[in-house]
Amino acid sequence: ESRGLGDVYKRQYMGRPKRLYPLGKYRLRTPKEVDKEKAYPVELEYTWNRQIIRKTTNVFAKVADWNQNSNQGRGELRASYGGEYKRLNQLLLSRVERIDSQLAEYNEKHPNQITADVVSGFLADKPLARRDQGKDFVQFTLERLSSDYSRNRIGRSRYENGKSCMNIFQTFLRATKQGTYKPDAIYVGEMTPELLDSYIEWRREIKQNSDATINHALTPILKACAYASEMSMMDPAVNARIQDMRIVTKVSLSEGEAEFDGKSLTKEQMTALLEYYRNCVEPRRKEFLEMFFFAFHACGLRVVDVMTLQWKHIDFARRELRKIMIKTNKRHVIPLTEPALHILRQWQEKREGCRYVFNLVKESLDLDDAEALYKARNNATKCINQSLVVAGEQIGLPFSLSMHAARHSFAVFALNKGLSMSVVSRLLGHGSTDVTEKVYARFLPETLSAEVARLREDFNSLEII
């Protein structure tokens, strides 16, 4: 062979050689039972990503006239074939070297983009250009997430969650050996509904994820596929099937409340938690519980807004909290109850001269630095929740207590006390009542009962005797 091994191989994956492109060889296509007197077709064969691509030639030979080990394993005709064996061998060698050279050139222009379809194209003398331009799917998806985030189409949380989802998708490819040109990578045009079926099953069985979590993980993937289809990088028919991969949540009339992901405390559980707080001897856990109760009494304030709450946001005279909410980037006014004010006064004494109300972040934290804010939120949430879980276990809660449970608990308390959905929505800082209804309405039979009770007097007068 004229080319050195350095042109064909590169070292990767623990020093094992990985071909940059396949090399062809000829084989005599024979059946299991060989007829020594019969001539069989000589085929040009390439193997790539465990796929075998073949192309017939116009040469036929008997088994005795074919030497597979000759010509460095590429095979050639023996002299016993007849007078034309040298000319035919030269034609065969010329053809395989031409295609090998074309594949080498293609690889130089389009690194890591060779597929079985590309090889088939060269064998048929119709070189194919990849419609997906050899774009890695994970990289393509991350670029779409970054673009959406830079244009404020998605928030920081969704952007970071999307990146995390794609990291897990790469882990799936590697673990299930379904990567193509690399163990944890696949081209845009190679995404299929069958692959996503396998991904969903893997997340259920291996990661033990719920259907809701899996749907969240599918979101950036489905959006990227839709965009790839618009850009003609993916077959529209394949994309249409992929868009139908989201899991449909089954509605159960008997278990609807059990499927509610938002965990909330009843009045009895809240009372038990308050009693635990009063008897708690661990100073830091006691502070975390104070933050939990503050979030509850401050109309379900989100943990990121508790964390970034500053004294300038508090108007003790008006008994109000005025702050631009981190998630919505909108100014929100929250009326403060006496318990909330009491907690603030306690912290005012020990945080005099500090910028932030609660000591959850560094005083130097720049709220305009999205990356620093995201990391600070994750660290603070993890720290608080680890302590709250212990408190929840001590009072016998049937779920893991977290800061977000304070928000859910406020919403459920407010709705069950007769506050309208629109009022609760405004207090929670939701963009619309649709959000509030989606999260809470169907899990609150007490509210519905209270509404019907208002009609009881008139209904009773119409009772059938």
Side-chain angles (χ1 to χ4, degrees):
E1 172 151 350
S2 60
R3 292 177 301 281
L5 288 178
D7 296 326
V8 183
Y9 298 106
K10 64 179 179 181
R11 292 282 175 180
Q12 63 176 13
Y13 311 133
M14 300 178 65
R16 294 170 59 191
K18 167 69 176 178
R19 279 186 176 174
L20 296 172
Y21 58 90
L23 297 176
K25 56 186 167 185
Y26 290 99
R27 288 189 183 277
L28 196 64
R29 191 69 180 271
T30 59
K32 290 183 179 180
E33 295 184 6
V34 177
D35 184 346
K36 293 182 180 181
E37 299 303 318
K38 184 176 180 180
Y40 295 101
V42 174
E43 294 184 340
L44 178 54
E45 178 181 294
Y46 283 83
T47 302
W48 190 243
N49 285 335
R50 298 184 294 275
Q51 295 185 62
I52 298 175
I53 308 102
R54 298 187 180 97
K55 179 68 175 179
T56 59
T57 68
N58 293 322
V59 178
F60 290 79
K62 296 178 182 179
V63 173
D65 295 332
W66 180 256
N67 185 356
Q68 185 62 59
N69 296 323
S70 186
N71 195 19
Q72 297 182 338
R74 282 182 164 175
E76 66 177 4
L77 296 168
R78 299 179 188 272
S80 60
Y81 178 83
E84 290 195 331
Y85 85 98
K86 286 186 178 180
R87 184 181 69 83
L88 291 176
N89 279 337
Q90 186 59 42
L91 288 174
L92 292 174
L93 181 61
S94 175
R95 183 180 183 189
V96 70
E97 286 189 339
R98 175 174 58 82
I99 295 176
D100 284 356
S101 297
Q102 289 174 336
L103 287 169
E105 183 179 354
Y106 184 89
N107 180 71
E108 288 181 7
K109 293 181 179 179
H110 312 283
N112 297 320
Q113 295 183 28
I114 291 179
T115 66
D117 287 341
V118 171
V119 177
S120 295
F122 281 112
L123 280 175
D125 292 322
K126 296 178 181 178
L128 299 176
R130 294 184 59 88
R131 68 186 298 169
D132 62 9
Q133 302 163 26
K135 192 72 175 179
D136 176 78
F137 179 73
V138 172
Q139 185 61 36
F140 180 76
T141 305
L142 293 176
E143 288 173 2
R144 297 312 311 152
L145 282 168
S146 180
S147 175
D148 285 346
Y149 177 64
S150 67
R151 291 180 292 119
N152 296 320
R153 298 288 299 275
I154 58 174
R156 183 74 190 182
S157 178
R158 187 176 297 181
Y159 172 58
E160 294 293 342
N161 287 339
K163 291 200 299 183
S164 176
C165 287
M166 297 317 295
N167 284 336
I168 295 175
F169 183 71
Q170 285 184 302
T171 301
F172 154 76
L173 291 175
R174 185 167 52 248
T176 59
K177 298 182 179 180
Q178 296 193 67
T180 53
Y181 71 95
K182 288 197 298 184
D184 61 352
I186 191 169
Y187 292 123
V188 170
E190 294 172 332
M191 290 294 293
T192 64
E194 292 74 21
L195 178 69
L196 289 185
D197 262 331
S198 177
Y199 179 51
I200 291 170
E201 190 65 23
W202 180 80
R203 292 203 67 140
R204 277 178 173 160
E205 299 297 325
I206 305 302
K207 303 293 286 183
Q208 297 289 301
N209 292 146
S210 67
D211 286 353
T213 299
I214 296 173
N215 276 339
H216 281 303
L218 289 174
T219 297
I221 292 176
L222 268 54
K223 284 190 173 182
C225 288
Y227 185 73
S229 179
E230 292 176 10
M231 298 291 290
S232 300
M233 296 171 68
M234 177 181 287
D235 186 335
V238 173
N239 173 60
R241 291 170 59 206
I242 286 176
Q243 295 305 316
D244 200 35
M245 294 302 296
R246 196 178 296 276
I247 302 169
V248 178
T249 304
K250 295 181 180 179
V251 178
S252 172
L253 296 177
S254 61
E255 299 179 1
E257 292 187 44
E259 294 176 357
F260 180 35
D261 288 336
K263 302 170 179 68
S264 64
L265 280 73
T266 63
K267 184 176 181 180
E268 292 75 16
Q269 289 169 337
M270 191 68 81
T271 301
L273 187 63
L274 184 59
E275 187 62 27
Y276 174 85
Y277 159 77
R278 289 170 179 158
N279 296 320
C280 183
V281 294
E282 297 183 33
R284 191 53 174 161
R285 182 172 300 158
K286 197 159 187 170
E287 288 183 344
F288 288 150
L289 286 167
E290 287 170 0
M291 297 173 200
F292 178 89
F293 288 123
F294 176 78
F296 171 79
H297 287 294
C299 302
L301 195 64
R302 293 184 181 92
V303 62
V304 69
D305 292 307
V306 172
M307 179 186 85
T308 57
L309 184 65
Q310 301 178 41
W311 290 112
K312 67 179 182 180
H313 299 145
I314 309 299
D315 189 331
F316 283 99
R318 293 189 176 186
R319 304 167 70 90
E320 287 180 346
L321 185 161
R322 292 176 174 266
K323 183 181 187 296
I324 295 177
M325 299 292 110
I326 299 296
K327 184 173 182 178
T328 62
N329 201 33
K330 294 180 180 179
R331 184 170 295 280
H332 191 37
V333 180
I334 297 173
L336 295 173
T337 61
E338 187 54 44
L341 290 168
H342 175 73
I343 293 171
L344 288 173
R345 293 189 188 102
Q346 283 184 307
W347 280 81
Q348 195 175 33
E349 292 178 6
K350 55 185 176 183
R351 296 282 291 170
E352 186 178 0
C354 295
R355 177 185 177 190
Y356 294 104
V357 173
F358 301 105
N359 57 341
L360 291 171
V361 296
K362 295 179 180 179
E363 290 291 299
S364 58
L365 175 65
D366 182 3
L367 297 181
D368 292 326
D369 186 341
E371 187 72 31
L373 179 60
Y374 179 81
K375 290 180 179 179
R377 187 200 70 174
N378 280 1
N379 291 336
T381 303
K382 182 178 179 181
C383 190
I384 296 172
N385 287 347
Q386 284 178 341
S387 190
L388 291 181
V389 165
V390 176
E393 291 175 349
Q394 292 293 318
I395 66 170
L397 287 181
F399 55 83
S400 296
L401 185 62
S402 66
M403 272 295 284
H404 202 65
R407 183 171 175 83
H408 287 309
S409 299
F410 167 77
V412 173
F413 266 70
L415 288 166
N416 283 328
K417 280 296 181 180
L419 272 68
S420 70
M421 190 67 73
S422 60
V423 169
V424 173
S425 181
R426 289 178 60 189
L427 292 173
L428 290 171
H430 284 161
S432 71
T433 56
D434 290 344
V435 177
T436 318
E437 289 175 353
K438 181 179 179 181
V439 178
Y440 299 108
R442 62 193 178 99
F443 301 106
L444 300 174
E446 293 178 36
T447 301
L448 300 178
S449 298
E451 294 298 319
V452 173
R454 295 167 60 184
L455 304 173
R456 188 170 298 155
E457 183 177 343
D458 289 335
F459 278 8
N460 288 344
S461 65
L462 299 173
E463 183 179 0
I464 297 176
I465 301 176

